[in-house]
Amino acid sequence: MGLKRQKIAKKTISFYKYNFSFRQPFQILIDGTFCQMALKNKIQIKEQMPKYLMGEVQLCTTNCALKELETLGKELYGARIILQKFQSRRCAHLKDPVPASECLLSMLGETNPHNYFVATQDHTVTAGVKKIPGVPLLYIILNTIVLDKPCQTSLDHVKAVSLGEMVSVAQQQSIRSLKEDKGIAQKDGERRGKKRKRKQSNPNPLSCLKKKKKGGPTPPKNTEQGEKKKRVKNKKQKTEGGDNLPAPVVTNA
């Protein structure tokens, strides 16, 4: 049964490596419920987790998860001692701690950009994790650590990426890094932040011209009067030149 369980885990890890770019060391977020169950079933998390996942791991928790165990009292003292040995990752609730379930889900965000595994026995966390694509889920059952199969949200995401409907998380990160290397991301931010000033240009010379007054329709010229004027001018020119003078009148003395 151990070999079969490990083969299933290997297949699941390959799914997350190929589709969501998971790499070693695997980062595992652990809460108090997982530590309490491990203590009850005498499971050594630091020893068994790397063997089961067949790779190097980093066991980590949050300040909110530690605070929650402190408030629950002596019954979970052993789980708190185990959890304190792991790395504490900074969350957004240092001043005002929140329940561990809420804190762990906030560390994942919408796309799990830091590629966390989540180890928990909390049903609230389990339900929230299954709504986020690319989050491997670990829990303890029958005295053994089990890696859950990929949830339907992760399968739908991978299918959409294969059909070209979505861009994978790895592709988004590579695009951002390329933009940052070439400075495109900064230029976009500068363009959005600063408004462009219009250059002062000289006025259009055509717009400075005076507009012509629009007159009414010109009346048609009187051709008869024009012909009479021409005749009078011709007569005057002839008299001045001495041509066609009237004959002198002869009177009888």
Side-chain angles (χ1 to χ4, degrees):
M1 291 296 290
L3 292 174
K4 184 178 180 181
R5 184 169 60 90
Q6 202 164 19
K7 283 182 180 179
I8 296 172
K10 185 177 181 181
K11 185 178 180 181
T12 304
I13 292 169
S14 299
F15 171 83
Y16 287 106
K17 282 183 176 180
Y18 179 76
N19 294 295
F20 296 97
S21 300
F22 275 70
R23 296 290 181 270
Q24 295 185 33
F26 300 128
Q27 301 182 87
I28 303 172
L29 275 177
I30 304 174
D31 66 352
T33 61
F34 190 85
C35 292
Q36 180 66 16
M37 185 62 70
L39 183 64
K40 183 179 178 180
N41 292 280
K42 298 180 181 180
I43 295 174
Q44 299 293 329
I45 299 174
K46 281 189 175 181
E47 293 178 3
Q48 295 189 22
M49 192 70 77
K51 292 179 181 178
Y52 179 56
L53 297 179
M54 295 164 287
E56 187 181 352
V57 300
Q58 287 183 354
L59 305 177
C60 53
T61 186
T62 64
N63 184 53
C64 294
L66 292 169
K67 290 288 184 183
E68 186 178 69
L69 290 179
E70 290 178 4
T71 57
L72 291 175
K74 295 181 180 180
E75 293 181 359
L76 298 174
Y77 178 78
R80 181 164 65 89
I81 295 299
I82 296 171
L83 198 62
Q84 285 177 345
K85 295 179 181 179
F86 305 148
Q87 299 178 10
S88 181
R89 294 299 166 89
R90 184 178 295 178
C91 62
H93 321 107
L94 291 175
K95 295 182 179 179
D96 299 317
V98 298
S101 58
E102 183 179 343
C103 183
L104 261 63
L105 292 175
S106 68
M107 294 287 286
L108 300 175
E110 295 181 357
T111 58
N112 190 19
H114 299 291
N115 293 342
Y116 284 120
F117 285 68
V118 175
T120 183
Q121 303 294 124
D122 192 337
H123 295 290
T124 304
V125 180
T126 301
V129 164
K130 290 184 177 181
K131 295 178 182 179
I132 304 170
V135 184
L137 179 64
L138 291 160
Y139 53 86
I140 296 173
I141 187 171
L142 298 176
N143 302 330
T144 55
I145 299 173
V146 177
L147 177 61
D148 196 15
K149 63 181 181 180
C151 62
Q152 190 62 41
T153 307
S154 297
L155 296 174
D156 293 340
H157 179 84
V158 172
K159 185 178 180 181
V161 171
S162 63
L163 295 173
E165 297 174 359
M166 295 181 66
V167 180
S168 65
V169 178
Q171 290 174 345
Q172 290 177 3
Q173 292 176 354
S174 63
I175 290 169
R176 287 174 189 169
S177 62
L178 286 172
K179 284 185 176 182
E180 289 176 358
D181 292 340
K182 295 185 178 181
I184 298 173
Q186 293 180 354
K187 290 180 180 178
D188 292 341
E190 291 176 358
R191 288 177 182 175
R192 291 177 183 175
K194 295 181 180 180
K195 294 183 178 179
R196 290 184 179 180
K197 293 183 179 180
R198 293 183 178 180
K199 294 181 180 180
Q200 295 181 356
S201 58
N202 296 324
N204 190 353
L206 296 176
S207 63
C208 299
L209 296 175
K210 293 182 179 180
K211 294 182 179 180
K212 295 181 180 181
K213 294 181 180 180
K214 294 182 179 180
T218 55
K221 295 181 179 180
N222 193 346
T223 55
E224 293 181 357
Q225 291 181 359
E227 290 178 356
K228 288 181 179 180
K229 288 181 180 179
K230 287 181 180 179
R231 290 175 185 174
V232 172
K233 287 182 180 180
N234 292 332
K235 286 181 180 180
K236 287 182 179 180
Q237 289 177 357
K238 287 180 180 180
T239 53
E240 289 175 358
D243 294 334
N244 297 326
L245 291 176
V249 179
V250 179
T251 56
N252 294 322

